[in-house]
Amino acid sequence: MSLDGKVAIVTGSGRGLGLAYAQELARQGAAVVVNDVDAPTAQAAAAAIEERGGRAVAVAAAVGSAETARELVRVAVETFGGLDILVTNAGVLRDGVLWKTSDEAFDTVVDVHLRGTFTCVREAATHMRGAGVAGRIICIGSPTGQRGNFGQTNYAAAKAGIVGMVRTWAIELKKAGITANAVIPVAATAMTATVPYFAAAVEADAAGEPMPAFYRHDLGFGTADDVSGLIAYLASDAAATVTGQAIGVGGDRIQLWSHPEPIVTAYHEGGWSTAALEEQFPTLIGASLQSVGEHFPPLPDDLQRPRP
């Protein structure tokens, strides 16, 4: 597989997962537009790629507005001659339980994650269609968007919305030969570093040591580099028939998430009155109610860490 001659934009790629994506795309031959809200961080990331023999340019801008989206595409086209790949990774967190989440906290997260994905994809897809490019759109989701998580109303809404948009874009862009997929990463990040459950894995990663097999295999939890291979694959010609999918990856595990489908269907002549539901709901639907949130197995004793 090679991405030679391809041009990619990776939003939020100054550090962490986004940087790993940008570095892997460059390693596979793509020229990369690196984006971060902090200029020195973006420039350092681009310089690191170039030091390894890759091609990169930095754009320091906050993702969300149509102006930033236009600037990212403009720089890709003017610097490298086109645009073939977009990875929307930029994001922020403003966690809080529902009754303590302010309008500002909600709007900030939705603006960067959801609106930022929308504006960047709209601009990239417009260019790709106009240029006749069979492009690749890769949007980053989250297990929180798939299952929910305590204290993350805004983040869950944004990440679930991203996957919903991807399914729609796969339909709309099919005729143009442009694919759109969502990746659901599970990896050591600044966010997971604060969770005691992942402490042993984060410690190993920080020390440059292999993560315990319990994390890599049982939980599918690994490093940022464990996710980047899927990003490069979906960006390649080899994945031309893969579109509209939500694919999870982390550690030693890869998963294909299902699309929402009805799991119970029942009919009642004349419709479902309150009385009919009271009588039949517990047996028809009640036994099949779906769980919410992620459920982790107990940590083995040797991986337990004291809580701070």
Side-chain angles (χ1 to χ4, degrees):
M1 188 190 80
S2 172
L3 298 178
D4 288 347
K6 305 290 188 182
V7 179
I9 296 170
V10 184
T11 68
S13 52
R15 56 173 66 88
L17 284 165
L19 177 57
Y21 305 157
Q23 290 175 332
E24 179 63 15
L25 291 170
R27 192 176 75 83
Q28 296 296 337
V32 183
V33 177
V34 173
N35 160 253
D36 194 275
V37 68
D38 180 68
T41 299
Q43 291 161 1
I49 289 172
E50 292 184 321
E51 287 170 5
R52 297 180 181 182
R55 294 184 297 156
V57 64
V59 174
V63 166
S65 68
E67 290 74 19
T68 292
R70 285 193 291 267
E71 178 65 5
L72 289 168
V73 172
R74 182 194 68 79
V75 170
V77 173
E78 292 187 3
T79 305
F80 299 121
L83 177 63
D84 306 275
I85 302 156
L86 171 66
V87 182
T88 60
N89 173 75
V92 296
L93 292 176
R94 297 290 187 274
D95 291 353
V97 293
L98 172 62
W99 51 95
K100 292 185 178 180
T101 299
S102 66
D103 291 356
E104 181 183 7
F106 184 87
D107 291 345
T108 296
V109 170
V110 169
D111 185 62
V112 176
H113 286 279
L114 191 63
R115 182 180 174 84
T117 295
F118 161 69
T119 56
C120 288
V121 172
R122 180 178 62 184
E123 193 69 21
T126 299
H127 172 81
M128 291 171 181
R129 290 180 73 251
V133 173
R136 303 284 180 264
I137 305 295
I138 304 165
C139 302
I140 306 304
S142 167
T144 295
Q146 303 294 100
R147 300 281 302 172
N149 191 35
F150 187 94
Q152 292 194 307
T153 292
N154 43 17
Y155 185 69
K159 289 302 192 182
I162 286 170
V163 176
M165 293 193 299
V166 161
R167 295 189 185 110
T168 297
W169 295 333
I171 298 167
E172 294 178 343
L173 297 172
K174 182 177 180 180
K175 187 175 180 181
I178 300 169
T179 65
N181 291 287
V183 168
I184 315 298
V186 182
T189 65
M191 182 175 70
T192 55
T194 65
V195 181
Y197 187 87
F198 298 111
V202 173
E203 289 169 8
D205 185 42
E209 300 171 354
M211 285 187 183
F214 172 82
Y215 291 100
R216 292 192 58 83
H217 183 273
D218 296 21
L219 293 181
F221 180 90
T223 68
D225 288 338
D226 291 322
V227 182
S228 62
L230 177 61
I231 300 296
Y233 172 75
L234 292 174
S236 74
D237 293 340
T241 61
V242 181
T243 193
Q245 304 304 302
I247 305 172
V249 65
D252 299 331
R253 186 180 71 186
I254 190 168
Q255 297 177 312
L256 180 65
W257 284 86
S258 67
H259 298 312
E261 295 283 354
I263 60 171
V264 175
T265 302
Y267 301 91
H268 190 273
E269 187 174 351
W272 287 96
S273 66
T274 304
L277 287 166
E278 185 177 13
E279 178 186 358
Q280 298 187 42
F281 189 96
T283 54
L284 285 176
I285 305 293
S288 299
L289 296 177
Q290 302 293 284
S291 65
V292 294
E294 290 193 87
H295 303 281
F296 299 127
L299 277 175
D301 290 342
D302 64 318
L303 300 179
Q304 296 279 355
R305 296 291 185 274
R307 289 183 175 272

